[in-house]
Amino acid sequence: MAQIHGLAAHAAGAELLRFHYEPGELGPEEVEIAITHCGICHSDLHLIANDWGVSQYPFIPGHEVIGTIAAAGSLVKGLEVGQRVGLGWQSNSCGVCDWCIQGRENLCAQSEGTCVKRNGGYADRVRANARFVAAIPEALESQHAAPLLCGGITVYNPLREYGVNPSSRVAVMGIGGLGHIAIQFARVFGAEVTAFSSSPAKEKEARALGAHHFANIRETRSLKDLGGKFDLILNTATADLDWSALIQVLRPTGMLCFVGVTPGPVSLGSVFPLISGQKAMAGSPIGSPSRIREMLDVAARHGVKAQIEAFPMAKANEAIEKVKKNKVRYRAVLAN
């Protein structure tokens, strides 16, 4: 097979440089995708910097891939050469553990990341097990669909896992790359949606995305006025906040769910509010392949899309710097 060309990190925190590698023979259950678009996720930045201690250099980042199938292995079914598809954070799993058998491959202990210890989507092509490749509905534009493959499913999965429905009251904390998609999906599910942000300037945008209400998370009085209101608080922010105060604004049986990673430890003080109200805290990763396909269908039918700024693939370093400085509203997407 022909060489794959891309932009790779060769050391922790270094700028990406041109790189190519020999992919070897295509596996019988693999597809090779000719990449048209790839989103830039904050996880890519962490991998480039080796913040999680799992990066092996050189490697090509990128895991929000849209493209067309260039080649398919002999055992691949349901996908055809030329078909437009997407690939997210996960590119394979063991296929035989309890979680894989249940269709919850995202929880597999042997999960393989698309750009963890292998080469990802800041390139002309990428490979993955076909089970983790999803057809893209015709109604979704590629550049707006790319961030759904990681950012989108990260917020969609907990909304589904915790049963959000038209009777639910949902708060989305953080109106950024994840939060702006979460508001849209929560509204599609019929929930009453409140946007939490530390920036009053984001109120207009949050309401335009579908939020019914807006609250400044830094104002103690705002939180007190919302006491006992929410069934689910979805935290997409990466800041340290007063978690005990947020537990107080949950209704009985309410859930505080983290999809954003906080820099410091999460402290509640007393657990009594959890016990007395039968409340809970949880985290949520990406979703399974079946849930990703479901999410894409919902997004296509209801007009959910990521707000993006597009960059040529060759300007990936420039785009990464803008993402680092929070100067992109709300997701950066590279285009070949």
Side-chain angles (χ1 to χ4, degrees):
M1 301 294 286
Q3 290 182 336
I4 292 178
H5 296 261
L7 296 167
H10 290 257
E15 282 197 348
L16 306 185
L17 300 174
R18 292 181 182 275
F19 177 73
H20 64 267
Y21 65 98
E22 300 284 349
E25 291 298 317
L26 187 68
E29 297 180 336
E30 289 186 317
V31 295
E32 184 168 287
I33 302 169
I35 299 167
T36 61
H37 297 82
C38 186
I40 294 178
C41 180
H42 272 278
S43 297
D44 293 330
L45 275 57
H46 289 299
L47 290 171
I48 292 168
N50 200 21
D51 290 335
W52 299 333
V54 298
S55 302
Q56 294 182 355
Y57 303 96
F59 81 98
I60 298 173
H63 59 273
E64 294 180 337
V65 173
I66 301 285
T68 58
I69 294 179
S74 60
L75 298 181
V76 172
K77 297 180 180 180
L79 296 172
E80 299 177 352
V81 171
Q83 185 175 6
R84 189 170 62 128
V85 295
L87 171 67
W89 171 261
Q90 189 177 13
S91 61
N92 206 351
S93 70
C94 76
V96 296
C97 70
D98 290 346
W99 306 107
C100 287
I101 290 171
Q102 293 175 35
R104 305 182 76 182
E105 296 94 335
N106 55 312
L107 301 179
C108 175
Q110 297 181 49
S111 170
E112 295 181 18
T114 295
C115 58
V116 179
K117 300 178 182 178
R118 63 195 300 278
N119 292 302
Y122 297 3
D124 57 357
R125 287 172 289 137
V126 70
R127 290 182 178 181
N129 185 293
R131 290 186 295 124
F132 295 86
V133 175
I136 302 299
E138 186 176 343
L140 294 178
E141 296 180 67
S142 293
Q143 63 178 358
H144 293 289
L148 297 180
L149 275 302
C150 183
I153 191 59
T154 295
V155 296
Y156 184 89
N157 194 55
L159 294 174
R160 288 283 280 109
E161 285 289 313
Y162 300 120
V164 171
N165 60 63
S167 72
S168 302
R169 297 172 177 88
V170 174
V172 176
M173 189 154 50
I175 315 306
L178 295 177
H180 89 283
I181 304 174
I183 289 173
Q184 295 177 68
F185 277 128
R187 183 64 185 258
V188 165
F189 289 173
E192 182 179 319
V193 185
T194 299
F196 280 178
S197 177
S198 60
S199 174
K202 288 193 175 180
E203 179 172 2
K204 184 176 180 181
E205 291 176 74
R207 291 185 182 275
L209 289 164
H212 298 91
H213 313 288
F214 181 89
N216 189 333
I217 194 64
R218 297 293 186 183
E219 292 181 356
T220 303
R221 184 173 178 179
S222 293
L223 291 180
K224 287 183 177 179
D225 291 344
L226 294 170
K229 180 178 176 64
F230 299 107
D231 300 290
L232 174 67
I233 300 174
L234 186 62
N235 177 42
T236 72
T238 56
D240 291 322
L241 298 168
D242 186 347
W243 307 113
S244 60
L246 287 164
I247 292 295
Q248 296 293 343
V249 303
L250 288 173
R251 302 178 75 200
T253 73
M255 171 71 73
L256 170 58
C257 180
F258 291 85
V259 295
V261 180
T262 62
V266 174
S267 176
L268 294 180
S270 172
V271 299
F272 186 76
L274 293 181
I275 295 171
S276 62
Q278 201 173 317
K279 302 173 184 179
M281 296 172 60
S284 181
I286 58 165
S288 66
S290 63
R291 183 134 308 161
I292 290 173
R293 294 183 183 98
E294 174 190 294
M295 174 206 63
L296 291 169
D297 179 61
V298 170
R301 288 190 289 120
H302 294 276
V304 176
K305 66 179 183 179
Q307 294 187 8
I308 66 104
E309 183 175 347
F311 299 82
M313 185 70 73
K315 293 189 176 181
N317 286 308
E318 177 184 321
I320 287 169
E321 286 304 310
K322 291 193 72 172
V323 172
K324 285 181 181 178
K325 296 174 182 177
N326 291 320
K327 291 186 176 181
V328 175
R329 287 283 180 90
Y330 283 103
R331 305 288 291 199
V333 175
L334 304 174
N336 274 320

